[in-house]
Amino acid sequence: MQVHLPKIPKTFRKKSKTVSKAGLPPGTLVHIGPKKTEKQLVELIQFDQNELIETDSNNATEILEKVNPEKVNWINIDGLHNIDLIQQLGNHFHLSPLMLEDILNTEQRPKLEEYDGVLFLPMKALNTLSGNQIEYEQISFVLGSNYILSFQEKEGDLFDQLRNRISDPANRVRSKNVDYLFYRLIDTVVDNYYIVMEHIGEQIEDIEEEVYLNPTSRTMQRIQDVKKELIILRKSLYPIREAISSLLRNDYKVILPENRTFYNDVYDHIIQLIDMFETYRDLISNLMDMYMSTISNKMNEIMKVLTIISTIFIPLSFIAGVYGMNFQHMPELNWRYGYFAILGLMLTILGGMLFYFRRKKWL
Amino acid sequence: MQVHLPKIPKTFRKKSKTVSKAGLPPGTLVHIGPKKTEKQLVELIQFDQNELIETDSNNATEILEKVNPEKVNWINIDGLHNIDLIQQLGNHFHLSPLMLEDILNTEQRPKLEEYDGVLFLPMKALNTLSGNQIEYEQISFVLGSNYILSFQEKEGDLFDQLRNRISDPANRVRSKNVDYLFYRLIDTVVDNYYIVMEHIGEQIEDIEEEVYLNPTSRTMQRIQDVKKELIILRKSLYPIREAISSLLRNDYKVILPENRTFYNDVYDHIIQLIDMFETYRDLISNLMDMYMSTISNKMNEIMKVLTIISTIFIPLSFIAGVYGMNFQHMPELNWRYGYFAILGLMLTILGGMLFYFRRKKWL
Amino acid sequence: MQVHLPKIPKTFRKKSKTVSKAGLPPGTLVHIGPKKTEKQLVELIQFDQNELIETDSNNATEILEKVNPEKVNWINIDGLHNIDLIQQLGNHFHLSPLMLEDILNTEQRPKLEEYDGVLFLPMKALNTLSGNQIEYEQISFVLGSNYILSFQEKEGDLFDQLRNRISDPANRVRSKNVDYLFYRLIDTVVDNYYIVMEHIGEQIEDIEEEVYLNPTSRTMQRIQDVKKELIILRKSLYPIREAISSLLRNDYKVILPENRTFYNDVYDHIIQLIDMFETYRDLISNLMDMYMSTISNKMNEIMKVLTIISTIFIPLSFIAGVYGMNFQHMPELNWRYGYFAILGLMLTILGGMLFYFRRKKWL
Amino acid sequence: MQVHLPKIPKTFRKKSKTVSKAGLPPGTLVHIGPKKTEKQLVELIQFDQNELIETDSNNATEILEKVNPEKVNWINIDGLHNIDLIQQLGNHFHLSPLMLEDILNTEQRPKLEEYDGVLFLPMKALNTLSGNQIEYEQISFVLGSNYILSFQEKEGDLFDQLRNRISDPANRVRSKNVDYLFYRLIDTVVDNYYIVMEHIGEQIEDIEEEVYLNPTSRTMQRIQDVKKELIILRKSLYPIREAISSLLRNDYKVILPENRTFYNDVYDHIIQLIDMFETYRDLISNLMDMYMSTISNKMNEIMKVLTIISTIFIPLSFIAGVYGMNFQHMPELNWRYGYFAILGLMLTILGGMLFYFRRKKWL
Amino acid sequence: MQVHLPKIPKTFRKKSKTVSKAGLPPGTLVHIGPKKTEKQLVELIQFDQNELIETDSNNATEILEKVNPEKVNWINIDGLHNIDLIQQLGNHFHLSPLMLEDILNTEQRPKLEEYDGVLFLPMKALNTLSGNQIEYEQISFVLGSNYILSFQEKEGDLFDQLRNRISDPANRVRSKNVDYLFYRLIDTVVDNYYIVMEHIGEQIEDIEEEVYLNPTSRTMQRIQDVKKELIILRKSLYPIREAISSLLRNDYKVILPENRTFYNDVYDHIIQLIDMFETYRDLISNLMDMYMSTISNKMNEIMKVLTIISTIFIPLSFIAGVYGMNFQHMPELNWRYGYFAILGLMLTILGGMLFYFRRKKWL
Ligand SMILES: [Mg+2]
Ligand SMILES: [Mg+2]
Ligand SMILES: [Mg+2]
Ligand SMILES: [Mg+2]
Ligand SMILES: [Mg+2]
Ligand SMILES: [Mg+2]
Ligand SMILES: [Mg+2]
Ligand SMILES: [Mg+2]
Ligand SMILES: [Mg+2]
Ligand SMILES: [Mg+2]
Ligand SMILES: [Mg+2]
Ligand SMILES: [Mg+2]
Ligand SMILES: [Mg+2]
Ligand SMILES: [Mg+2]
Ligand SMILES: [Mg+2]
Ligand SMILES: [Mg+2]
Ligand SMILES: [Mg+2]
Ligand SMILES: [Mg+2]
Ligand SMILES: [Mg+2]
Ligand SMILES: [Mg+2]
Ligand SMILES: [Mg+2]
Ligand SMILES: [Mg+2]
Ligand SMILES: [Mg+2]
Ligand SMILES: [Mg+2]
Ligand SMILES: [Mg+2]
Ligand SMILES: [Mg+2]
Ligand SMILES: [Mg+2]
Ligand SMILES: [Mg+2]
Ligand SMILES: [Mg+2]
Ligand SMILES: [Mg+2]
Ligand SMILES: [Mg+2]
């Protein structure tokens, strides 16, 4: 059992700028969070059943001119540091300054809000899983009657497969309203949570093996790491449930009744994820108990054996010590077979102690 | 007390394919879970009070042609890997693609959903109990106005006794509507949960005996195993309660008012199961405390006895050591009865220590 | 501190037959639980303000012929193994087969159900308290418009005092409706729960004394026993609260408005019992902490004293060992007062260590 | 660290007579609880804006004759053992026998009940705080349209200041209805709970100091005592919140709308008390953790130092032992400076071990 | 590992005067809490879109004469010890005596109350963060149809930035109603809670580093300190959520519908703060487990190594002791290479033990 002193995880190192906003008026646009991309790109995907137009630009005006209220318009923005650009979009779609403020805050918890018929849903997306690390990315959706805005912290996302399907004129998404696309975006984000869950499940599996076969202080650390991952995951998962549940409870005009069944399905997935979350939380807590008990058993075992060895030899040493005394008159010392008698006595005591310890099941 | 290092349980080994679905459109039919049977069989049990027809086939078309809306039609499907067959059934009964998707997902949590008057209830059934192992099987029920579909992961189920009763023309099930058969199916599944409960109850009993009489590190493991069984059981039990409770709260057209009392009875059974579950959870947690305390008491007892032995002989050895010193002028060494005086002193000290330890109740 | 290995409690030994019912149709009458009496007796107490008739029989027909709808009819049945008799009563009063099924199940949890205006209330009664043992008996009440049926597992009950009062024509029960008798029966059962509570309270008191004065491993066991009693009690207590609360919330025709105030009083008693339950649960959990801490303190104290003794003599023994070496040239050995100097040195070291340990408050 | 074995607290010693009531009819008047006063006094305070009459008597008839429905009548009864007197009051004001029964039960939990427009509110009052001891007294209020009855276990109460104010004709209480006096009585009782809270707060402060500076086993006991005080306090506090909250939720005729704001204020105080309660509960639980960790750290520290001493001398003793062997041919023994070489070796080993332990930060 | 005995925190030292109010009539104005400022200042900020008037005075009459119902009037009071002044304000604005009483109580928990259309909101503001210390200040807001009163414990507050904005005629606050200013005040207070959160987050980060790299008994103390900070923070945070949530649920006349969206935003911030609070609570509890396990691992490691050293030398010492015995007939002693043989034997045993311990992974 070695005590590994690992690298300190840096979870709390990335200081947020939340504090600096205290005292600012509402709707003051400040980007909160690290700058994760240099460029800021705007991408328009505009379609109806017949036609699909895709435009990329770093000029919002160019994009906004192309918006066509007769079609489905999905505008995706990568990078949150260009506040003017975001302000420009906000002005064009008449978005509330409070909504814009939250879009720029990458620590905004998931929620569902309606501002004058426009739905606002900030979420945490799980982008990639390089090595053992889970990367969260803030992604905010805005759903109007004929457009969706999606704001991401940086380039690259989970929606490439979805973009492919949109480019297929026969795909259902092409014949449906903008709220169906909204569902598909949410569903893609939610589906990716299963990856984290899977990953945590595998870690728990590994830790279980380690606890049973070779628990070390590193095991304890892995248990704590999983617990921490779960604590952080919980911050995203439960608010998403609330958000989707409020979407189902209320009658928002931008969500067509015919598509509610899809949102029901997303909700079911989130409930399932929360079930998994709670199962993992209980399992890891069991593993913690098991680890503690195993470590303690092993240590007790070692100390017991060591102590038994000492306990056996200390009385024998005492006897040797007695006959090492230098008294002039010690009759036994002169006996012919005194030495062998004492050796015999020692063996007898040794045997007696071993027998006693074994009978007591201490050995 | 031996530290047994047991085989690692494989609970998490069966990787689900859930992940691979991320990004797929809703209603994409993918079988999630291990393939548990080779063949895929369809069985039709069709009856009214006068007549009973049973047909087995691996050809869905043959079965679907025989469906008679004037009678009760129970179609049971064993095996979920033949997606075309399931799609064919879905088309025939106009089932939602989202429902079909969930039928194929063997990790779907229990829930009750209505799609256009059709009830959908996926559950976990407890099939058999070979040795100590509980085997869960995903089973999904679909209730229409005159038919029930039941989808199972593999052949063999809990319903043989029920099939016998259906073959008896005098049996109540023959004179009642399809929703009564639905109740009988659910009731059979729920009743079988008592077997797991009984099994867990017996394990707790055994563990209690072990904790009181001979706690070893294996006991800890058994406690953890039961806790884990309970964690997994909880994932099935609580959602079933929710499902049945929602069935009772809502007025579904396919459930006749006259049969609600039966669903009430099933609900009562689930509440009872949850009561048992909670009692077992508390009892096993008590056993855990008891185990920890007993192990710790035993170890303390051992260490105390061992330490007392050392403590007694170390001072005596010191005295022997003193008279083993080789100083030229040590008056005691020349005394006639010096040796016996010292032996006497040692005995006195021994007695004194034993008396002291006993008076302190350390022995 | 002795490790007592006690007799194993047999709580889980009495296997229920619940399992065997899996797959049976609803309303199948099977007696679940041990057979606690040989005979099965039926007792009719029939009264109005003027007249009282008491009849005992083991023939249900004889009793049922005497039932008079103009009067209050209380039929008490002792013993649940004669299924025909219970079926006969069920037929006479048109009771639901599901209700009869639950009456025969001695593991049925308390609940309140209405079947066509008839109230059904199964409960756990506390019969007697022989020695330290609490005995639960399943008792089911059925309240119709002019009759009460009470089903007991075996002869002998808590209602003898109530029977005496009924025999007094001036007693209020004689002038009131059958629902007042129903209240009196429930109230008697609930009042007897205070006996268990009192008993548990006394045990906690005793354990508290033991924890403070002489904690042994037996104390831990007593703590666990009380926790287990509370776990089992909880299974009866909370569902009774639910049952009475549902009785108060709903407007059952068989409960006259003028008598609701009595049911309110019973409800208040149950809330009080639950308060006591929760207080005891917290107190026993505190005692557990206290026990753990006391035991650990005592053991630490012992180990510390023992280790201090060793620690004092090991360095002294070393010095003796040094002068027990047989080198030819060891100047100290030839000194005139070398021996006494060394003895003095040893005493100085001894004193120094004692002084140090005391200053450090280790002694 | 000394293990103090304290006097056993007597919390559970005062056996209630609750049990003896099992089987009695409802409304049977039995005084439950110890008899805390010999005399039983009745006191009438009758006033309107113009006039104040105070009458003391031990004759209820005398008091009841003076009751004037045109004025505010506050009748206070000290002592609950004179059942006839209480029955007489009950008859005069047409009180429910169930209410009278609860008045006599000093273990009745706080609640609010209405019987025919009369409000009934039993509470626990905190009388005095002699030394460290909190004394609870059962006090029951009955509010009719023009009278308040207050029943106390014994003489002496918290209301002397209130009586003074009533005697001042200019005081608001003189110009207001009886429900305002009711509020003032409740408010006085609730305000006195702050005294217990303050007391517990001070104890926690003291314990915190003890835990940080000089934790002994007595500290553990003080922690447990505070936890127990909190458990008992909780039994009074939470039900009072329920009672006042139900008073606010319902529209009782005897509470004038204009005075509701006062009851709101009392409610706010109770919420504040519960906030304090929960804070104290968390703080004491933190102190428990801190205590456990500090004690364990101290013990570990001691054991480590002691073990290090042994560990240093045991190898040195071994070397001495080697050269204490009596072999004829041991070259080192004849070396001129063998003895000093060995002493040097021993010193080197000693230094090496000290260096190693220090580098490992064990010393 | 050193046991630091730190200065005792003084959290509980500041005795409140809450107790002294027991028995006083409602609305008695007593300042509860320490006197934090000598002067008591009144400040009027009065504005509409065209004009801004700021007046400071310690004479309430002077201020009250200037109040203009056509404009927004914000009166800020620093210091709560001048009861006459507060009474004067209360009289002028017809405030309830109960409200005034709560304003003076610096231990009043946050809540939202309405008295005749006037909203009352006491809160805890976080003023400054000198060093590591969080300073709470009680601040109470009163919102009428055209005025806000803010009562603070002492001079200096968080609103200077807000005052600057008010002085800018183009700022939105100048063109809006008094309820918008109310929102801005609340928002400023709430925003400052992020500072505490940030601070706690950093402490957790530091502690995490300490736990991983160098856990000492000081670490335990820091963990406890953070837990205590969280306990105290919780007392402010949760009631503020309740207060704002009740503001959103009810339709208060003084809150214009157009401004509700701002209150929604504040509510969202509080939810976010509570999320952070719960995350930190879980993280610190994980760190506690980690600390406990690390400390225990380290101590076990030390004790194991020390015990292994003893265990190795005690048997070797025994052998030396045997050949140190003074028997006349010990053949080995006379052997030519007896000494070297025994040294060899000792080395063999040493090697054997090292090999055994290493194979067992104890070393
Ligand atoms: Mg971190
Ligand atoms: Mg702000
Ligand atoms: Mg904001
Ligand atoms: Mg991105
Ligand atoms: Mg999905
Ligand atoms: Mg689905
Ligand atoms: Mg596993
Ligand atoms: Mg999908
Ligand atoms: Mg899906
Ligand atoms: Mg199957
Ligand atoms: Mg059943
Ligand atoms: Mg049933
Ligand atoms: Mg048992
Ligand atoms: Mg059944
Ligand atoms: Mg009986
Ligand atoms: Mg009762
Ligand atoms: Mg030792
Ligand atoms: Mg006690
Ligand atoms: Mg009674
Ligand atoms: Mg009663
Ligand atoms: Mg009562
Ligand atoms: Mg009194
Ligand atoms: Mg008050
Ligand atoms: Mg107040
Ligand atoms: Mg400390
Ligand atoms: Mg404090
Ligand atoms: Mg007051
Ligand atoms: Mg201030
Ligand atoms: Mg804000
Ligand atoms: Mg916001
Ligand atoms: Mg130890």
Side-chain angles (χ1 to χ4, degrees), chain A residues 1-3 5-6 8-9 12-13 15-16 18-19 21-26 98 101-102 107-109 111 113 115 217 220-221 224-225 227-228 231 234-235 239 288 291-292 295 299 302-303 305-306 309-310 313-314 316-317 319-320 323-326 332-336 338-340 342-343 346, chain E residues 161 165 172 180 183-184 187-188 191-192 194-195 198 201-202 204-206 208-209 212-213 261-262 264-265 268-269 271-272 275-276 278-280 282-283 286-287 289-290 293 297-298 300-301 303-304 307-308 310-311 314-315 317-318 321-332 357 361-362:
Chain A
M1 209 173 61
Q2 278 291 111
V3 181
L5 292 177
I8 315 133
F12 291 99
R13 295 280 126 165
K15 295 274 156 50
S16 79
T18 317
V19 166
K21 290 207 60 185
L24 292 187
L98 292 171
E101 195 184 352
D102 288 349
E107 315 229 334
Q108 178 61 46
R109 71 195 290 271
K111 62 175 174 178
E113 282 182 345
Y115 293 88
S217 63
M220 176 65 190
Q221 222 174 279
Q224 290 302 324
D225 286 351
K227 284 175 107 176
K228 202 163 141 187
I231 289 171
R234 185 172 165 272
K235 274 181 80 173
M288 175 97 174
Y291 166 78
M292 293 301 231
I295 283 293
M299 183 49 68
I302 295 173
M303 296 305 281
V305 170
L306 294 177
I309 294 176
S310 299
F313 283 100
I314 283 172
L316 299 182
S317 281
I319 293 172
Y323 292 102
M325 293 194 296
N326 298 321
E332 299 93 321
L333 295 182
N334 305 315
W335 293 353
R336 185 68 190 95
Y339 173 51
F340 303 101
I342 286 304
L343 285 190
M346 285 173 173
Chain E
Q161 209 172 356
R165 286 175 205 287
R172 175 153 47 164
Y180 181 77
Y183 150 69
R184 292 300 302 276
D187 181 55
T188 304
D191 280 2
N192 272 273
Y194 283 98
I195 297 174
E198 193 74 4
E202 280 162 29
I204 290 176
E205 219 183 302
D206 276 14
E208 189 174 28
E209 192 166 329
Y212 276 84
L213 293 184
T261 183
F262 295 112
N264 250 316
D265 192 58
D268 183 46
H269 290 192
I271 297 294
Q272 189 116 1
D275 261 22
M276 288 168 83
E278 288 177 352
T279 302
Y280 288 159
D282 292 353
L283 286 171
N286 265 18
L287 281 181
D289 288 352
M290 191 71 199
S293 153
N297 269 354
K298 274 178 75 177
N300 281 342
E301 212 45 28
M303 295 304 283
K304 198 179 65 185
T307 309
I308 281 175
S310 299
T311 306
I314 283 172
S317 282
F318 164 69
V322 164
Y323 293 101
M325 294 194 297
N326 297 322
F327 286 99
Q328 286 183 6
H329 303 283
M330 290 177 67
E332 299 94 320
F357 293 162
K361 303 224 171 132
W362 296 356

Side-chain angles (χ1 to χ4, degrees), chain C residues 183-184 205 208-209 212 268 271-272 275 279 283 286 290 293 297 301 318 325-326 328-329 332, chain D residues 5-6 12-13 25-26 107-109 111 220 224 227-228 235 323-326 333-334 336 339:
Chain C
Y183 151 68
R184 292 299 303 275
E205 220 184 301
E208 189 173 28
E209 192 166 329
Y212 277 84
D268 183 47
I271 297 295
Q272 189 116 3
D275 262 22
T279 302
L283 286 171
N286 264 19
M290 190 71 199
S293 154
N297 268 353
E301 212 45 30
F318 164 69
M325 293 193 296
N326 297 321
Q328 284 184 6
H329 304 281
E332 300 95 320
Chain D
L5 291 178
F12 292 97
R13 296 279 125 167
E107 316 227 334
Q108 178 60 47
R109 72 194 288 272
K111 62 174 174 179
M220 175 65 189
Q224 290 303 322
K227 283 175 107 177
K228 202 163 142 184
K235 276 181 79 172
Y323 294 100
M325 294 193 295
N326 298 321
L333 296 182
N334 305 316
R336 186 66 192 98
Y339 173 51

Side-chain angles (χ1 to χ4, degrees), chain D residues 204 207-208 211 223 283-291:
Chain D
I204 290 176
I207 293 170
E208 189 175 27
V211 167
I223 291 173
L283 286 172
I284 200 74
S285 146
N286 264 19
L287 281 181
M288 176 98 174
D289 287 351
M290 191 71 199
Y291 166 79

